[in-house]
Amino acid sequence: GGVDSHLGGSGTRALIFQNYLGIGVDAQAALRFHRTRNVRPHLFISAFTNKILYGIFGARDFVEHSCAGMHQHVHLICDGVRRELPPETEGIILLNINSFAGGVRMWESSEGYAASSMQDGMVDVVVVYGALHLGQLNWGVDKPVRICQARDVKVIVDKRFPMHVDGEPWEQPACTMHIKLRNKALMLRRTADARGMSILKMADTLDWAQRNEVITPEQQEVIMAEAYRRAEKDRP
């Protein structure tokens, strides 16, 4: 499903993201990459050179720390509760799925933190401490800082910051963002194990039941969401 993000300021607009919304250091590299590609497209000739250039743009922030002091200018209210950001925060990421930047897992369950799920209608809110921290996440040698999981998130930004939605960057003036679930869609994951085949057969059976008015569409959605939740929980 998609997550609705409303930007308020001099004008109000709505954005929908499927995967994640980033504010700060991770969006800065994407924005520099995007602007350079528009001005000098001849430099971007292959996936290999693109990765090198993206790394160079990200490495600039090792020294510059362009988003330092974010905790003083960005304020989080999650399900009505004010959440304090660590002073080292240089980036905030809100995730609809537990995958970032090509597959990095950004949320791990532990005492006090529930598991990440695409079925629960919540976003996972994490922060990163800078470009080096982002690099360490990609290398698998560090983890992001978990803030919370929430169904309704308000982000109040009182100065200009780079942002991106699913990799599409822009520079955002001061604004208030209201983020919540927009809708859900049934997604099937390709799998070869017996559990996965059982889920597919169940989906076919529920489609038949809904078409023949044995169950309602709402009941079909609830049953499938629970089936996927259990399948994900049992995965090794």
Side-chain angles (χ1 to χ4, degrees):
V3 177
D4 215 2
S5 174
H6 288 272
L7 297 175
S10 57
T12 299
R13 64 187 177 115
L15 297 171
I16 298 173
F17 66 91
Q18 308 294 332
N19 302 320
Y20 55 83
L21 163 69
I23 307 170
V25 64
D26 62 305
Q28 183 69 274
L31 183 62
R32 287 170 173 164
F33 181 93
H34 175 73
R35 287 175 170 172
T36 305
R37 183 172 55 186
N38 286 343
V39 175
R40 299 183 174 87
H42 60 280
L43 296 177
F44 300 80
I45 57 176
S46 70
F48 178 72
T49 56
N50 288 357
K51 287 182 179 180
I52 291 176
L53 290 169
Y54 201 100
I56 291 172
F57 296 137
R60 281 181 56 181
D61 234 69
F62 284 2
V63 177
E64 294 178 3
H65 293 279
S66 60
C67 298
M70 176 175 278
H71 70 292
Q72 297 175 330
H73 301 286
V74 180
H75 313 285
L76 281 179
I77 302 173
C78 302
D79 289 338
V81 178
R82 175 75 175 265
R83 298 286 182 170
E84 297 297 329
L85 298 176
E88 303 91 343
T89 299
E90 294 186 25
I92 303 170
I93 305 169
L94 296 93
L95 299 117
N96 190 35
I97 65 172
N98 195 9
S99 179
F100 178 78
V104 178
R105 291 180 64 84
M106 300 291 278
W107 189 273
E108 301 292 341
S109 61
S110 63
E111 185 176 353
Y113 295 96
S116 178
S117 172
M118 294 183 288
Q119 316 296 334
D120 59 10
M122 295 194 290
V123 292
D124 305 330
V125 185
V126 303
V127 302
V128 294
Y129 287 164
L132 178 60
H133 191 193
L134 273 176
Q136 291 170 330
L137 296 180
N138 279 286
W139 301 328
V141 297
D142 206 346
K143 296 180 179 180
V145 179
R146 294 169 297 186
I147 300 298
C148 68
Q149 294 170 307
R151 298 182 186 279
D152 189 287
V153 179
K154 182 179 286 186
V155 184
I156 303 170
V157 184
D158 63 22
K159 63 172 286 188
R160 185 179 297 269
F161 274 103
M163 298 186 184
H164 69 147
V165 161
D166 294 342
E168 294 296 327
W170 74 95
E171 194 166 36
Q172 177 64 41
C175 70
T176 297
M177 307 175 68
H178 188 198
I179 301 156
K180 60 182 179 179
L181 179 70
R182 180 181 177 87
N183 54 29
K184 287 185 177 181
L186 180 63
M187 304 294 289
L188 298 179
R189 181 178 62 235
R190 184 177 181 181
T191 179
D193 63 17
R195 182 175 61 250
M197 292 306 297
S198 296
I199 291 291
L200 293 176
K201 290 178 181 178
M202 178 183 290
D204 288 341
T205 304
L206 291 176
D207 283 341
W208 170 87
Q210 192 271 315
R211 287 195 305 271
N212 288 277
E213 300 182 351
V214 177
I215 60 174
T216 66
E218 290 76 16
Q219 290 170 329
Q220 179 190 19
E221 180 179 328
V222 170
I223 295 169
M224 283 307 305
E226 178 63 15
Y228 276 109
R229 185 190 69 80
R230 295 187 182 200
E232 287 183 352
K233 182 179 179 181
D234 292 341
R235 279 199 305 168

